[in-house]
Amino acid sequence: MSSGQQVLLKLRKMIITGELEGGHRIAEIPTAERLGVSRQPIRIAFRLLEQEGLLIKSPTRGYIVREISEKLVTDALQVRGVLEGLAAKTVAEQGLTEQQKDSLLHCIKEIDQLFADKTEFGDLELERYHHYNLIFHETILQGANNLALRQALSKNNQLPLASNQAIVYDQQRALSEYHRLHYAHLQHCSIYDALMNRQAGRAEDLMREHSCVNILGETVRAILEDHHECMTLVKA
Protein backbone atom coordinates (compact mmCIF):
# COMPACT_ATOMS: atom_id res chain seq x y z
CA MET A 1 0.00 0.00 0.00
CA SER A 2 1.34 3.44 -0.93
CA SER A 3 2.28 5.96 1.73
CA GLY A 4 -0.58 8.16 0.53
CA GLN A 5 -3.13 5.41 1.09
CA GLN A 6 -1.67 4.67 4.51
CA VAL A 7 -2.01 8.32 5.47
CA LEU A 8 -5.61 8.34 4.23
CA LEU A 9 -6.50 5.26 6.29
CA LYS A 10 -4.77 6.67 9.36
CA LEU A 11 -6.52 10.04 9.19
CA ARG A 12 -9.89 8.43 8.47
CA LYS A 13 -9.54 6.24 11.55
CA MET A 14 -8.42 9.19 13.69
CA ILE A 15 -11.55 11.13 12.71
CA ILE A 16 -13.94 8.21 13.19
CA THR A 17 -12.54 7.29 16.60
CA GLY A 18 -12.54 10.89 17.77
CA GLU A 19 -8.77 11.16 18.08
CA LEU A 20 -9.21 14.17 15.82
CA GLU A 21 -12.11 15.93 17.50
CA GLY A 22 -15.12 17.12 15.55
CA GLY A 23 -15.36 20.87 15.12
CA HIS A 24 -11.60 21.42 15.40
CA ARG A 25 -9.47 22.94 12.65
CA ILE A 26 -6.88 20.73 10.98
CA ALA A 27 -4.00 21.97 8.83
CA GLU A 28 -1.39 20.36 6.58
CA ILE A 29 1.88 21.24 8.30
CA PRO A 30 1.07 20.19 11.90
CA THR A 31 -0.68 17.04 10.62
CA ALA A 32 2.31 16.12 8.47
CA GLU A 33 4.62 16.64 11.46
CA ARG A 34 2.36 14.56 13.68
CA LEU A 35 2.33 11.63 11.24
CA GLY A 36 5.96 12.03 10.20
CA VAL A 37 5.26 12.42 6.48
CA SER A 38 5.55 15.14 3.85
CA ARG A 39 2.75 17.59 3.12
CA GLN A 40 1.88 16.03 -0.27
CA PRO A 41 0.08 12.86 0.98
CA ILE A 42 -1.61 14.97 3.68
CA ARG A 43 -2.91 17.40 1.06
CA ILE A 44 -4.30 14.56 -1.07
CA ALA A 45 -5.83 12.82 1.94
CA PHE A 46 -7.55 16.03 3.05
CA ARG A 47 -9.19 16.41 -0.35
CA LEU A 48 -10.41 12.81 -0.35
CA LEU A 49 -11.68 13.06 3.21
CA GLU A 50 -13.57 16.21 2.24
CA GLN A 51 -15.24 14.23 -0.56
CA GLU A 52 -16.17 11.55 1.98
CA GLY A 53 -17.76 14.14 4.26
CA LEU A 54 -15.25 13.71 7.08
CA LEU A 55 -13.63 17.11 6.60
CA ILE A 56 -15.27 20.44 5.80
CA LYS A 57 -13.37 23.12 3.87
CA SER A 58 -12.68 26.10 6.12
CA PRO A 59 -13.77 29.50 4.74
CA THR A 60 -10.31 30.82 5.67
CA ARG A 61 -7.61 28.13 5.45
CA GLY A 62 -7.39 24.41 6.08
CA TYR A 63 -10.25 22.15 7.05
CA ILE A 64 -12.64 21.54 9.93
CA VAL A 65 -13.10 17.99 11.27
CA ARG A 66 -16.74 17.05 10.86
CA GLU A 67 -18.70 16.10 13.94
CA ILE A 68 -19.94 12.56 13.34
CA SER A 69 -22.96 11.05 15.02
CA GLU A 70 -24.11 7.45 14.92
CA LYS A 71 -27.43 8.62 13.49
CA LEU A 72 -25.77 10.52 10.64
CA VAL A 73 -23.72 7.47 9.63
CA THR A 74 -26.71 5.10 9.92
CA ASP A 75 -28.96 7.42 7.92
CA ALA A 76 -26.36 7.81 5.16
CA LEU A 77 -25.81 4.05 4.90
CA GLN A 78 -29.56 3.39 4.78
CA VAL A 79 -29.93 5.84 1.90
CA ARG A 80 -26.98 4.21 0.13
CA GLY A 81 -28.70 0.85 0.60
CA VAL A 82 -31.89 2.12 -1.01
CA LEU A 83 -30.00 3.57 -3.98
CA GLU A 84 -27.70 0.60 -4.56
CA GLY A 85 -30.64 -1.70 -3.94
CA LEU A 86 -32.48 0.01 -6.78
CA ALA A 87 -29.43 -0.41 -8.99
CA ALA A 88 -29.25 -4.14 -8.22
CA LYS A 89 -32.99 -4.54 -8.79
CA THR A 90 -32.74 -2.77 -12.15
CA VAL A 91 -29.81 -4.91 -13.31
CA ALA A 92 -31.58 -8.11 -12.22
CA GLU A 93 -34.72 -7.15 -14.13
CA GLN A 94 -32.89 -6.42 -17.37
CA GLY A 95 -30.33 -9.20 -17.00
CA LEU A 96 -26.55 -9.12 -16.86
CA THR A 97 -24.49 -8.69 -20.00
CA GLU A 98 -21.63 -11.12 -20.56
CA GLN A 99 -19.16 -8.36 -19.75
CA GLN A 100 -20.92 -7.60 -16.47
CA LYS A 101 -21.01 -11.27 -15.54
CA ASP A 102 -17.29 -11.60 -16.21
CA SER A 103 -16.48 -8.45 -14.22
CA LEU A 104 -18.52 -9.43 -11.16
CA LEU A 105 -17.26 -13.01 -11.19
CA HIS A 106 -13.65 -11.86 -11.54
CA CYS A 107 -14.05 -9.62 -8.48
CA ILE A 108 -15.52 -12.49 -6.47
CA LYS A 109 -12.73 -14.87 -7.46
CA GLU A 110 -9.98 -12.36 -6.66
CA ILE A 111 -11.42 -11.52 -3.24
CA ASP A 112 -12.12 -15.17 -2.49
CA GLN A 113 -8.46 -15.94 -3.13
CA LEU A 114 -7.49 -13.37 -0.50
CA PHE A 115 -9.49 -15.23 2.13
CA ALA A 116 -8.18 -18.59 0.94
CA ASP A 117 -4.56 -17.47 1.38
CA LYS A 118 -4.81 -15.34 4.54
CA THR A 119 -6.37 -15.51 7.99
CA GLU A 120 -5.91 -11.77 8.57
CA PHE A 121 -5.36 -8.73 6.38
CA GLY A 122 -2.35 -6.48 6.11
CA ASP A 123 -2.03 -3.37 3.97
CA LEU A 124 -1.56 -5.27 0.71
CA GLU A 125 -4.60 -7.51 1.22
CA LEU A 126 -6.73 -4.58 2.28
CA GLU A 127 -5.72 -2.62 -0.83
CA ARG A 128 -6.64 -5.55 -3.13
CA TYR A 129 -9.93 -6.08 -1.33
CA HIS A 130 -10.74 -2.39 -1.66
CA HIS A 131 -9.86 -2.40 -5.37
CA TYR A 132 -12.15 -5.29 -6.31
CA ASN A 133 -14.91 -4.16 -3.97
CA LEU A 134 -15.08 -0.85 -5.84
CA ILE A 135 -15.19 -2.60 -9.21
CA PHE A 136 -18.00 -4.91 -8.01
CA HIS A 137 -20.20 -2.02 -6.90
CA GLU A 138 -19.35 0.16 -9.89
CA THR A 139 -20.24 -2.64 -12.31
CA ILE A 140 -23.73 -2.88 -10.85
CA LEU A 141 -24.17 0.89 -10.78
CA GLN A 142 -23.09 1.22 -14.41
CA GLY A 143 -25.38 -1.65 -15.37
CA ALA A 144 -28.40 0.18 -13.97
CA ASN A 145 -27.74 3.02 -16.45
CA ASN A 146 -29.67 5.52 -14.35
CA LEU A 147 -28.18 9.04 -14.28
CA ALA A 148 -30.51 10.28 -11.53
CA LEU A 149 -29.57 7.33 -9.33
CA ARG A 150 -25.84 7.92 -9.91
CA GLN A 151 -26.14 11.61 -9.05
CA ALA A 152 -28.15 10.87 -5.90
CA LEU A 153 -25.57 8.30 -4.81
CA SER A 154 -22.73 10.72 -5.52
CA LYS A 155 -24.40 13.30 -3.29
CA ASN A 156 -24.98 10.78 -0.51
CA ASN A 157 -21.35 9.65 -0.74
CA GLN A 158 -20.34 13.04 0.64
CA LEU A 159 -21.73 12.04 4.04
CA PRO A 160 -19.46 10.24 6.58
CA LEU A 161 -18.73 6.58 5.78
CA ALA A 162 -21.41 6.46 3.08
CA SER A 163 -19.03 5.91 0.17
CA ASN A 164 -17.53 2.60 -0.94
CA GLN A 165 -14.25 4.49 -0.96
CA ALA A 166 -14.44 5.00 2.80
CA ILE A 167 -13.20 1.58 3.83
CA VAL A 168 -12.34 1.23 7.51
CA TYR A 169 -10.14 -1.49 8.99
CA ASP A 170 -9.09 -1.44 12.64
CA GLN A 171 -5.84 -3.42 13.00
CA GLN A 172 -6.35 -3.52 16.78
CA ARG A 173 -9.42 -5.67 16.11
CA ALA A 174 -7.91 -7.55 13.20
CA LEU A 175 -9.80 -10.83 13.70
CA SER A 176 -13.28 -9.30 13.92
CA GLU A 177 -12.48 -6.95 11.02
CA TYR A 178 -11.31 -9.89 8.91
CA HIS A 179 -14.59 -11.71 9.60
CA ARG A 180 -16.59 -8.56 8.79
CA LEU A 181 -14.95 -8.27 5.38
CA HIS A 182 -15.40 -11.99 4.78
CA TYR A 183 -19.10 -11.62 5.54
CA ALA A 184 -19.26 -8.74 3.05
CA HIS A 185 -17.61 -11.01 0.47
CA LEU A 186 -20.23 -13.70 1.06
CA GLN A 187 -22.89 -11.04 0.55
CA HIS A 188 -21.29 -10.23 -2.81
CA CYS A 189 -21.62 -13.89 -3.75
CA SER A 190 -25.32 -13.89 -2.83
CA ILE A 191 -25.92 -10.66 -4.75
CA TYR A 192 -24.21 -12.13 -7.80
CA ASP A 193 -26.35 -15.26 -7.55
CA ALA A 194 -29.54 -13.15 -7.36
CA LEU A 195 -28.47 -11.09 -10.37
CA MET A 196 -27.61 -14.19 -12.40
CA ASN A 197 -31.03 -15.69 -11.66
CA ARG A 198 -32.80 -12.36 -12.30
CA GLN A 199 -34.29 -12.32 -8.80
CA ALA A 200 -34.90 -8.59 -8.64
CA GLY A 201 -36.52 -8.41 -5.19
CA ARG A 202 -33.86 -10.63 -3.62
CA ALA A 203 -31.04 -8.66 -5.25
CA GLU A 204 -32.49 -5.41 -3.92
CA ASP A 205 -32.91 -6.75 -0.37
CA LEU A 206 -29.41 -8.21 -0.30
CA MET A 207 -27.84 -4.98 -1.49
CA ARG A 208 -29.75 -2.93 1.05
CA GLU A 209 -28.50 -5.18 3.85
CA HIS A 210 -24.99 -5.14 2.41
CA SER A 211 -24.83 -1.35 2.74
CA CYS A 212 -24.71 -1.65 6.54
CA VAL A 213 -21.69 -3.97 6.63
CA ASN A 214 -19.46 -1.01 7.58
CA ILE A 215 -21.17 -0.81 10.98
CA LEU A 216 -21.52 -4.56 11.46
CA GLY A 217 -18.51 -4.65 13.78
CA GLU A 218 -20.12 -2.12 16.11
CA THR A 219 -23.36 -4.11 16.07
CA VAL A 220 -21.59 -7.33 17.02
CA ARG A 221 -19.67 -5.62 19.80
CA ALA A 222 -22.89 -4.11 21.18
CA ILE A 223 -24.58 -7.53 21.18
CA LEU A 224 -21.63 -9.16 22.94
CA GLU A 225 -21.46 -6.38 25.52
CA ASP A 226 -25.19 -6.74 26.23
CA HIS A 227 -24.74 -10.51 26.56
CA HIS A 228 -21.83 -10.02 28.96
CA GLU A 229 -23.86 -7.64 31.11
CA CYS A 230 -26.79 -10.06 31.20
CA MET A 231 -24.53 -12.95 32.23
CA THR A 232 -22.99 -10.79 34.97
CA LEU A 233 -26.44 -9.99 36.35
CA VAL A 234 -27.46 -13.66 36.29
CA LYS A 235 -24.32 -14.69 38.19
CA ALA A 236 -24.88 -11.94 40.73
Side-chain angles (χ1 to χ4, degrees), residues 97-110:
T97 66
E98 290 302 316
Q99 184 178 3
Q100 290 163 356
K101 291 177 186 177
D102 290 343
S103 177
L104 293 175
L105 186 57
H106 179 66
C107 292
I108 287 173
K109 287 181 176 179
E110 289 293 330

Side-chain angles (χ1 to χ4, degrees), residues 145-180:
N145 193 28
N146 185 325
L147 179 60
L149 190 157
R150 179 178 285 278
Q151 289 182 343
L153 189 59
S154 177
K155 186 69 174 178
N156 190 67
N157 284 343
Q158 296 173 18
L159 294 173
L161 298 183
S163 170
N164 285 314
Q165 293 277 1
I167 191 167
V168 180
Y169 191 88
D170 189 349
Q171 289 287 1
Q172 294 181 336
R173 294 168 172 154
L175 182 59
S176 63
E177 291 287 71
Y178 173 89
H179 287 308
R180 178 175 63 85

Side-chain angles (χ1 to χ4, degrees), residues 32-94:
E33 292 174 349
R34 180 174 181 175
L35 299 185
V37 297
S38 68
R39 293 175 62 183
Q40 180 66 14
I42 297 294
R43 184 178 300 117
I44 295 172
F46 279 4
R47 291 172 184 167
L48 293 173
L49 291 169
E50 180 190 10
Q51 293 173 13
E52 293 176 14
L54 294 176
L55 292 179
I56 301 171
K57 186 73 172 178
S58 172
T60 54
R61 292 184 63 186
Y63 292 85
I64 305 296
V65 178
R66 184 163 193 161
E67 296 187 56
I68 303 173
S69 68
E70 182 179 344
K71 184 179 186 305
L72 179 60
V73 172
T74 300
D75 288 349
L77 290 175
Q78 286 178 340
V79 171
R80 172 180 149 190
V82 171
L83 295 173
E84 288 200 319
L86 175 58
K89 176 177 179 287
T90 302
V91 172
E93 288 174 340
Q94 65 191 21

